[in-house]
Amino acid sequence: MTHIRLPRPKNPRTTTGALAAAGALLACAGFAAPAVADTTARSFDVLQLNLCHSGAADCYTGDDTAVRSGISTVQQRRPDVVTLNEVCAHDITTMTRQTGYHAEFAPAGRRDGGPYQCTDGRGDYGVAILTHPDLGAPSGAVTERTYTAQDGGTEQRVMLCAPFSAISACTTHLSADAPEVAGEQCRELMGAAGAAGRPAVVGGDFNLSHGGTPDVQDCVPDGWFRKGDGSVQHVFAAADFRFERTENLPIDGTDHPGLLVELAR
């Protein structure tokens, strides 16, 4: 697809610009300006969305309300990475066209074979990662993996990880029916994310909560941290990132808020 470079309403958190301006004044006065190290700390935002759009769940509204609301949020907030759950292949085509973001999509499997389908002919059902045009296309092999542990239901849960030149990103939607299985899936996912060999972020609907049994915090690897929406959506980040703040955003047409986690790197 053609990538469109779009403006970003985010300012680097740095004093470098002021120091450079002072150096320019010194140069005009005939003094040699000292070298200024680039200590820029750039913002890096992750948006987690569960759009409940398979058509099979009770939260489905029967239309594209959630997709349109998700697109509007991406356009307004311009996150670096969007992790998406309970979406259809058709939804991702629409979202990339209207946001200019790059997309990777992984369909969930069926226990009896083949990809899981959305209703009304809207294509495969699964998880996706959208990335801001500034990150470019993936710089290595994209991982789509069915988890070893499954809960015996029709849907076979999957992970999706994509490496980019500076970072890697993963997403997933874990078992809703068996918390212990979700815990095993979470540990398998974080093992894959930690092996990426570059700063990584992970977002998804884990169907695990902090303080629950098992506790989602139990699958946070050493050197990582986790931030959540107060329920089952979480964003994990490696220590290469610094946490700034979280915000739950209203998303129409789904039973989950958007979880925006603001980081810096």
Side-chain angles (χ1 to χ4, degrees):
M1 64 175 287
T2 300
H3 298 297
I4 305 169
R5 197 171 187 86
L6 300 173
R8 307 191 65 181
K10 297 192 286 186
N11 296 318
R13 301 179 180 94
T14 180
T15 59
T16 303
L19 291 172
L25 290 173
L26 287 171
C28 289
F31 296 97
V36 178
D38 184 1
T39 57
T40 301
R42 293 177 175 84
S43 62
F44 191 94
D45 297 347
V46 181
L47 175 63
Q48 157 60 26
L49 298 173
N50 181 328
L51 297 184
C52 191
H53 214 228
S54 70
D58 292 341
C59 50
Y60 178 53
T61 60
D63 57 25
D64 63 351
T65 297
V67 174
R68 287 187 283 107
S69 186
I71 289 171
S72 178
T73 300
V74 172
Q75 291 171 335
Q76 291 171 12
R77 296 302 186 107
R78 305 304 296 169
D80 296 271
V81 170
V82 186
T83 52
L84 284 157
N85 307 149
E86 294 196 52
V87 290
C88 310
H90 175 76
D91 303 334
I92 302 307
T93 300
T94 301
M95 296 185 83
T96 55
R97 184 173 62 245
Q98 295 193 23
T99 64
Y101 277 47
H102 176 86
E104 295 294 333
F105 175 83
R110 292 182 59 87
R111 187 153 55 94
D112 56 3
Y116 206 96
Q117 296 290 301
C118 289
T119 60
D120 303 322
R122 291 177 293 122
D124 293 346
Y125 163 83
V127 298
I129 297 169
L130 301 184
T131 50
H132 192 283
D134 282 358
L135 290 179
S139 60
V142 174
T143 299
E144 299 180 23
R145 183 189 304 173
T146 301
Y147 288 110
T148 302
Q150 298 288 339
D151 58 21
T154 301
E155 180 183 346
Q156 301 291 283
R157 308 282 174 153
V158 297
M159 72 169 75
L160 172 64
C161 292
F164 299 88
S165 60
I167 61 102
S168 64
C170 299
T171 192
T172 195
H173 184 204
L174 301 185
S175 172
D177 298 323
E180 292 297 334
V181 170
E184 293 182 49
Q185 293 170 344
C186 186
R187 289 186 288 275
E188 184 176 348
L189 168 67
M190 297 312 297
R198 64 198 77 192
V201 293
V202 179
D205 180 342
F206 288 76
N207 280 308
L208 296 169
S209 60
H210 183 29
T213 304
D215 193 321
V216 68
Q217 192 68 22
D218 294 341
C219 72
V220 179
D222 291 341
W224 288 63
F225 60 89
R226 176 202 57 82
K227 300 296 174 181
D229 67 349
S231 184
V232 295
Q233 294 185 112
H234 307 277
V235 168
F236 296 67
D240 309 83
F241 296 91
R242 184 178 73 240
F243 171 68
E244 297 287 334
R245 63 185 291 270
T246 65
E247 183 179 355
N248 283 4
L249 305 175
I251 305 294
D252 297 331
T254 177
D255 58 348
H256 294 278
L259 170 61
L260 181 68
V261 179
E262 297 180 3
L263 306 169
R265 60 182 295 270

